[in-house]
Amino acid sequence: MKPLMFIFLIVALSFAKGEEQPSALLSALLNKEFEDINADLDVLKKDMDEKSKRDTEIVPEPEESWTGKWFPEVTAASSKKPSAAPASGTDGNNMWQMINSTCDDGKQNLTVDWQPNNRDYECDGPYLEPDPSVKATLEQEYIPAAYVARHVCMKSEIPYDQPLPTFGPHRPAWARYGEYTFLPIQRFLHNMEHGGVIMLYHPCTHPALVNKLKKIVKSCLYRHVISASRLVPQDKPLALMTWGWRLLLPNVDTSLAVQFIREHALHGYEKTHRDGFYDQLLVSPAEVVSTPDDQEICPRYKGV
C-alpha cells in the first residue's frame, strides 16, 4: 500500500472513532511524507536547472584548421561576414570586378605568364613514336568541397607545384575558346573552371595524332581550348584536362577520349559558356557544336 493511501486510511479511522485531533502516529507519517516530497522537488528543480543551462550554453565553433595551398581564407561554411569586393588592381574572387586594365584585361603585361621567345610550342627534335606498351592514365586531383580558386592580377606571378595542374589560382580574364599556338596555364585553368575541356599536346607529337584528337575535341563541344605545351610528358604526349581531372594518352583512343569529355566536361566550379577575353596566339575560334551552352556533348559520336 502506498504511503499516502495508508495515511488517508488512518485519518478515516480516526474520524470514525470520533477523534478530533490526529494521532501521534499520523502526525509522524505526515511529516515524513512531506519531507520526502520536498526532497523530490529539490532534486527535480536541480535537474531542470542543469538542463536549462546545457540548452542555453553557447559552444564556440571550431576554428578553421586547413592550411593547404590555395585554400580560401574564408570558406562557405564560415560564420564570418564576406569581405567587401576587391578594389581595382587587387587580387580576389570577384572576376567581373577584376577584369580591367589595372588588374587584368587579357591584353596587358602578358609576359608575366609567358615570354614569347621561349618557343614552348615548337619541336626541337624528331617526332615522338608512340610506345604500344605505355597505357593511358586517368588522374583525379582532390579538390576540397569549400575550395574557391583565387583570381590573381597581372602584377603577380602564379607558381604551380606540378606541370599540369587541374585546379588552382588563375587570371581573372579567361581565354577565348578555340585553338591556340600556345596558351599559358594561368589562362586555361580559368576555362577549365568554367567547365571547358583543354587539349594539350607535346610539340613533337606526330601531326597525324594531334589532328585526330583535335577533330574529336572540336566536334564534341564549344567550350574547348587546344594548345601545344612542352609540359606534357613525352611518353604520353596527348592530354585532355577538365576541372580536377586529367587524361594522358600515348596514342589517340577515340572511345576513351569521347567518354572522358562526356563524363568530365561542364563540371567546373563556375558554370558559364560566355567566351573569354584573352586571345593572344589564337589560331581559330571555337564553333558551336550543339548549342552555345553545350547541351549535348559529342553529338556526332552516338555509337561511342
Side-chain angles (χ1 to χ4, degrees):
M1 182 180 296
K2 295 183 179 180
L4 283 176
M5 293 181 64
F6 181 67
I7 293 171
F8 291 148
L9 180 59
I10 293 177
V11 172
L13 291 173
S14 298
F15 282 109
K17 293 179 180 180
E19 298 179 2
E20 296 182 358
Q21 298 294 331
S23 64
L25 175 60
L26 177 60
S27 298
L29 289 173
L30 286 172
N31 291 335
K32 180 64 170 61
E33 185 66 23
F34 288 139
E35 289 176 359
D36 292 342
I37 291 174
N38 289 333
D40 291 340
L41 289 174
D42 290 340
V43 173
L44 179 61
K45 183 176 183 301
K46 183 178 180 181
D47 291 342
M48 293 180 66
D49 290 342
E50 291 181 355
K51 183 177 184 302
S52 176
K53 182 179 180 181
R54 289 195 303 269
D55 292 342
T56 58
E57 183 179 6
I58 299 176
V59 180
E61 295 184 1
E63 296 182 357
E64 294 289 343
S65 59
W66 178 270
T67 57
K69 193 173 183 180
W70 306 328
F71 206 74
E73 289 81 355
V74 181
T75 67
S78 173
S79 60
K80 298 178 182 179
K81 294 182 179 180
S83 58
S88 177
T90 61
D91 300 341
N93 288 326
N94 191 326
M95 64 179 180
W96 298 112
Q97 293 189 4
M98 299 173 68
I99 299 176
N100 53 61
S101 58
T102 304
C103 177
D104 175 34
D105 59 1
K107 308 295 181 185
Q108 304 181 64
N109 301 324
L110 302 184
T111 55
V112 175
D113 294 334
W114 176 68
Q115 296 288 340
N117 57 4
N118 287 346
R119 318 300 286 183
D120 289 334
Y121 51 85
E122 292 184 350
C123 178
D124 55 3
Y127 290 138
L128 301 172
E129 292 291 335
D131 185 348
S133 65
V134 178
K135 305 299 182 183
T137 56
L138 177 63
E139 303 168 352
Q140 179 185 16
E141 288 190 286
Y142 171 70
I143 303 178
Y147 176 81
V148 178
R150 192 163 184 79
H151 299 104
V152 183
C153 294
M154 294 304 300
K155 65 181 181 180
S156 305
E157 295 183 355
I158 308 177
Y160 299 103
D161 59 3
Q162 63 171 295
L164 298 175
T166 61
F167 75 102
H170 46 255
R171 300 303 180 193
W174 65 100
R176 293 185 61 192
Y177 291 105
E179 180 180 349
Y180 288 78
T181 301
F182 178 80
L183 184 64
I185 296 175
Q186 293 84 350
R187 295 293 170 182
F188 68 65
L189 266 179
H190 201 161
N191 292 74
M192 291 162 62
E193 189 181 31
H194 288 185
V197 173
I198 310 302
M199 172 190 160
L200 300 179
Y201 60 93
H202 191 281
C204 292
T205 309
H206 196 284
L209 297 179
V210 175
N211 291 333
K212 185 177 181 179
L213 189 57
K214 281 183 183 180
K215 182 179 179 181
I216 295 172
V217 173
K218 290 182 178 182
S219 61
C220 273
L221 77 169
Y222 164 71
R223 269 177 277 184
H224 71 264
V225 166
I226 299 173
S227 173
S229 174
R230 290 181 182 272
L231 298 176
V232 184
Q234 294 189 20
D235 62 334
K236 300 171 187 176
L238 300 166
L240 293 177
M241 299 168 58
T242 60
W243 191 247
W245 291 87
R246 178 173 48 243
L247 176 64
L248 300 177
L249 299 162
N251 206 333
V252 178
D253 185 325
T254 301
S255 178
L256 193 59
V258 170
Q259 180 182 359
F260 176 85
I261 294 172
R262 282 178 174 160
E263 291 183 1
H264 301 295
L266 312 186
H267 293 309
Y269 177 77
E270 297 172 347
K271 296 177 175 60
T272 175
H273 62 272
R274 179 172 175 173
D275 205 6
F277 300 84
Y278 181 100
D279 60 0
Q280 187 181 44
L281 299 183
L282 176 65
V283 177
S284 58
E287 297 181 358
V288 173
V289 177
S290 59
T291 60
D293 59 348
D294 296 304
Q295 290 187 6
E296 184 179 3
I297 300 178
C298 302
R300 301 179 187 178
Y301 296 90
K302 299 292 186 181
V304 178

